[in-house]
Amino acid sequence: MDLLRLPKMAFSAEEGWPQLVKIHPTVQAVFAYVVLPLSLLPPALLYYAGNHYGDSFVAGFASKPWGAIAAVFFAAEMLTFAWMGWFIKQVAETGNLSIDNHDAYLLAAIAPIPLWVSSLSLLVPNPVFNALVALAALVLSCGLIYQGIHALCHTREDVTAASIVYAVIGAGLAAWALLLTLIVAL
């Protein structure tokens, strides 16, 4: 998979998606070469940022147990990936769209890539910059889900695709809010 096509894939079902369908990578390969390495970025960068300039984000954050937080964050990412593939399939089927397990998990692996990569912004100790980068990544992730539904479900039904995006992003944001609450509570 060419990560340089990712921004185009967020805006068009004809960019990159047909190549992915043609290649048909196994879920295990996508997990090993995309999900696992990229999902290590946020916990590693949370650990780094928390230990090096956590107080510049929120007073008292530098003294948090960032090793434990990073481990919990990584475990939550793995659980979220496993759950999100299943959830995408269920929501698509509720919208009368057909998507197999393979394609649902492929979409679950591709959609968070901008969010994982956006964690690199934590190298800059500026909460406003970090928030703007995360917001841009969220927009790209929404686009990837929307265009991925069009491409992988072979549909042009905009309303149905949009409702699936709302459900998937809503569930993802709820999981993210729960994880952030856990981080603040530790």
Side-chain angles (χ1 to χ4, degrees):
M1 186 181 144
D2 184 4
L3 289 179
L4 296 176
R5 279 189 190 209
L6 206 61
K8 291 180 182 179
M9 291 171 67
F11 297 101
S12 172
E14 305 304 319
E15 281 291 336
W17 295 105
Q19 291 83 355
L20 272 177
V21 170
K22 184 179 177 182
I23 295 169
H24 200 71
T26 66
V27 173
Q28 294 84 355
V30 171
F31 181 80
Y33 297 113
V34 177
V35 174
L36 191 57
L38 291 178
S39 65
L40 287 170
L41 281 173
L45 289 159
L46 273 173
Y47 178 81
Y48 174 81
N51 282 320
H52 287 84
Y53 41 80
D55 286 335
S56 69
F57 290 107
V58 176
F61 262 34
S63 62
K64 288 198 169 285
W66 287 105
I69 290 170
V72 168
F73 197 93
F74 179 72
E77 285 180 303
M78 295 299 98
L79 289 172
T80 302
F81 168 72
W83 178 78
M84 198 56 79
W86 173 85
F87 187 71
I88 289 169
K89 181 170 176 44
Q90 300 309 310
V91 174
E93 288 177 351
T94 300
N96 295 320
L97 295 178
S98 177
I99 188 169
D100 62 17
N101 281 328
H102 173 273
D103 288 346
Y105 278 97
L106 183 62
L107 185 54
I110 292 170
I113 290 174
L115 296 168
W116 289 326
V117 172
S118 75
S119 67
L120 291 169
S121 71
L122 289 172
L123 293 170
V124 178
N126 184 324
V128 174
F129 173 74
N130 301 140
L132 290 173
V133 170
L135 184 60
L138 183 60
V139 168
L140 285 174
S141 287
C142 289
L144 286 168
I145 295 169
Y146 182 77
Q147 298 302 337
I149 290 296
H150 279 297
L152 300 174
C153 292
H154 310 288
T155 184
R156 290 290 170 229
E157 182 60 43
D158 291 334
V159 174
T160 303
S163 68
I164 293 168
V165 172
Y166 294 143
V168 171
I169 291 297
L173 287 175
W176 188 51
L178 183 64
L179 190 56
L180 289 178
T181 302
L182 179 67
I183 289 171
V184 171
L186 286 176

